[in-house]
């Protein structure tokens, strides 16, 4: 099995020392930098906005994986692309015109991702699975870092992997929420390609070692 793509979530970083945190990620084995955007409407929390993403992008040497937890994401997709996003994921629950949203993201030259809440059925993805680059499977309810991993995620990921294979699609499966050294191997075994980790990385005394440890699982 291939090594996972590792995407530390900057939400758990020290915002008063963002440049230092981004430099640490540049020097680490991290592949992408996961950026959580929350609007206080789609989710109960507000995280960061465009100026912070621009600031991260000024120092980041790795692709920004932007996770939009916002209503009407089509209003902001272009601004996030300009701020430096390489991947943009929108929530299926926030997008009545999801196919159009995906086309918009791709037309800007970004990789298109779709994020899916823990309770949402995979059938929502059936008709667009061939059009997307990434499925962000929420393994916690979106809105906060450092929550407990939802065990049903394993079942969901293996069903999603089967759906992707059956459709001959290329979408990567990303797991977002509560990922740690204990559940990472089992997630890769059922088909995960990308692991997001916030609290587990940034609360460690040596985040770089934790990142290397997660990268070494396969
Ligand atoms: C949750 C966010 C996650 C979060 C993950 O709404 O989408 O990306 O930052 O953080 P941990 O790994 O701490 O659960
Ligand atoms: Zn996220």
């Amino acid at each position: 099995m291939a090594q996972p793509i590792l995407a530390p979530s900057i939400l758990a970083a020290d915002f008063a020392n963002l440049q230092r945190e981004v430099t640490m990620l540049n020097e680490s084995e991290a592949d992408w930098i996961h950026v959580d955007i929350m609007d206080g409407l789609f989710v109960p929390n507000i995280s960061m906005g465009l100026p912070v993403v621009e600031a991260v992008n000024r120092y980041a040497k790795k692709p920004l994986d932007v996770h939009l937890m916002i209503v009407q994401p089509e209003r902001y997709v272009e601004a996030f692309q300009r701020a430096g996003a390489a991947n943009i994921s929108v929530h299926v629950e926030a997008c009545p015109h999801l196919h159009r949203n995906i086309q918009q993201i791709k037309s800007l030259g970004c990789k298109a991702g779709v994020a899916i809440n823990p309770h949402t059925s995979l059938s929502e993805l059936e008709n667009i699975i061939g059009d997307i680059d990434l499925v962000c499977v929420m393994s916690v309810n979106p809105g906060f870092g450092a929550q407990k991993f939802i065990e049903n995620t394993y079942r969901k990921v293996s069903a999603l992997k089967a759906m992707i294979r059956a459709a001959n699609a290329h979408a990567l499966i990303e797991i977002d929420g509560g990922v740690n050294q204990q559940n990472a191997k089992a997630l890769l075994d059922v088909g995960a390609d990308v692991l997001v980790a916030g609290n587990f990385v940034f609360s460690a005394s040596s985040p770089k070692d934790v990142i290397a440890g997660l990268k070494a699982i396969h």
Side-chain angles (χ1 to χ4, degrees):
M1 201 191 304
Q3 278 197 330
I5 294 171
L6 198 73
S9 169
I10 201 88
L11 182 68
D14 178 357
F15 280 16
N17 289 288
L18 259 187
Q19 183 183 353
R20 192 192 67 200
E21 300 280 55
V22 172
T23 302
M24 179 278 290
L25 293 177
N26 288 340
E27 292 167 354
S28 78
E29 289 180 46
D31 298 284
W32 299 346
I33 300 177
H34 187 81
V35 183
D36 288 310
I37 307 297
M38 305 176 182
D39 65 354
L41 285 170
F42 180 68
V43 289
N45 200 6
I46 296 176
S47 57
M48 63 193 102
L50 289 158
V52 177
V53 180
E54 282 162 13
V56 168
N57 189 50
R58 222 173 295 139
Y59 296 100
K61 297 197 175 114
K62 306 200 171 177
L64 300 189
D65 178 43
V66 174
H67 176 193
L68 296 180
M69 285 163 273
I70 66 176
V71 298
Q72 300 181 338
E74 63 278 3
R75 297 167 66 209
Y76 293 100
V77 157
E78 196 176 336
F80 280 103
Q81 182 268 331
R82 267 190 267 117
N87 310 336
I88 298 181
S89 296
V90 293
H91 264 268
V92 59
E93 302 83 4
C95 295
H97 305 289
L98 185 58
H99 185 272
R100 181 180 293 151
N101 301 129
I102 292 161
Q103 302 311 320
Q104 182 194 16
I105 295 169
K106 287 173 145 182
S107 74
L108 294 164
C110 294
K111 300 270 189 212
V114 173
I116 177 165
N117 278 344
H119 79 282
T120 302
S121 167
L122 291 177
S123 61
E124 296 281 331
L125 301 178
E126 223 167 84
N127 293 304
I128 46 105
I129 195 68
D131 298 312
I132 60 182
D133 301 297
L134 188 70
V135 179
C136 178
V137 176
M138 293 309 301
S139 40
V140 298
N141 286 294
F144 303 93
Q147 300 182 81
K148 191 174 173 297
F149 179 82
I150 296 170
E151 297 287 324
N152 184 55
T153 306
Y154 300 115
R155 192 198 56 77
K156 201 171 188 178
V157 171
S158 71
L160 175 58
K161 195 72 173 183
M163 181 194 282
I164 290 170
R165 287 210 176 111
N168 230 337
H170 68 265
L172 297 174
I173 301 179
E174 176 176 61
I175 314 298
D176 191 8
V179 171
N180 58 37
Q181 192 77 26
Q182 275 70 52
N183 54 27
K185 168 93 172 86
L187 285 166
L188 298 177
D189 285 346
V190 288
D193 305 292
V194 185
L195 301 177
V196 174
N199 185 61
F200 184 64
V201 165
F202 285 96
S203 69
S205 55
S206 174
K208 273 189 210 165
D209 290 340
V210 170
I211 290 167
L214 287 169
K215 279 293 288 183
I217 299 171
H218 55 276

